[in-house]
Structures are given as C-alpha cells and as structure tokens.
Amino acid sequence: MNAHNAAAIQAGVALAGEGLRATAQGTRVRFRKGADRPAVIDGPFTEIKELIAGYWLIQAATRQQAIEWVKAYPFPCWPDLTVELRELALPGRA
C-alpha cells in the first residue's frame, strides 16, 4: 500500500490521504432542531453500521479514471470493503 500511495503522489493523482483513529478516540457534535445547543458525544460509537476508516483526495480527469484507480488499489482487507467516490463541492461548480 505504501508503494502504491507513493507512486500515486509522484504521479499527481493522490493529493492527500490518511487513516482515521478508532471511534473510541472520536467525538461527535449532534445538532437537533429545537434543541437549545448541540450535544457532544464521546466515542466509542458502537451503533455504527458504516465506518469511515480513512480517506484519499485524488485528482482524476473523469469519474471512470477515479474508479479505475480505486479498482487497482492493493487493499489489505479485501474482499469485505466498500469505497465511496465523491466529487468535491467547490464554489462555482454544480
């Protein structure tokens, strides 16, 4: 994985990426309509059905290029893994 990450950085495809610490070290801030103030909840979050374990910020010319990059990645926990691809919401872009 490290070699693949380094190659992607050198190629200008990977712009950023990090793993995230366990939910036991996390905090959530929950906003609810009608509440006087946001609630602060310390981890661990045992009710999580889907967990974001890390992220990459990649640069691809097309959605298909991004898909191909993900499909070629040497994931260590294959086959039980889902990767979500989303475009950045940048000002002035729909």
Side-chain angles (χ1 to χ4, degrees):
M1 286 178 58
N2 290 337
H4 193 88
N5 287 340
I9 291 167
Q10 288 288 47
V13 175
L15 305 177
E18 302 293 335
L20 300 174
R21 295 195 184 271
T23 65
Q25 299 169 341
T27 300
R28 291 180 177 170
V29 179
R30 180 176 291 154
F31 298 86
R32 295 216 173 181
K33 185 176 182 178
D36 291 340
R37 59 183 176 202
V40 177
I41 305 109
D42 291 328
F45 309 120
T46 57
E47 76 284 356
I48 292 177
K49 293 180 183 176
E50 297 175 354
L51 175 68
I52 298 172
Y55 74 95
W56 288 287
L57 177 62
I58 65 170
Q59 180 171 267
T62 65
R63 171 178 270 173
Q64 190 59 41
Q65 280 183 348
I67 291 168
E68 294 304 319
W69 186 83
V70 169
K71 287 168 59 176
Y73 198 84
F75 293 104
C77 50
W78 191 261
D80 295 328
L81 177 75
T82 300
V83 175
E84 180 177 334
L85 295 171
R86 295 176 58 187
E87 198 170 335
L88 287 177
L90 299 172
R93 291 180 60 189

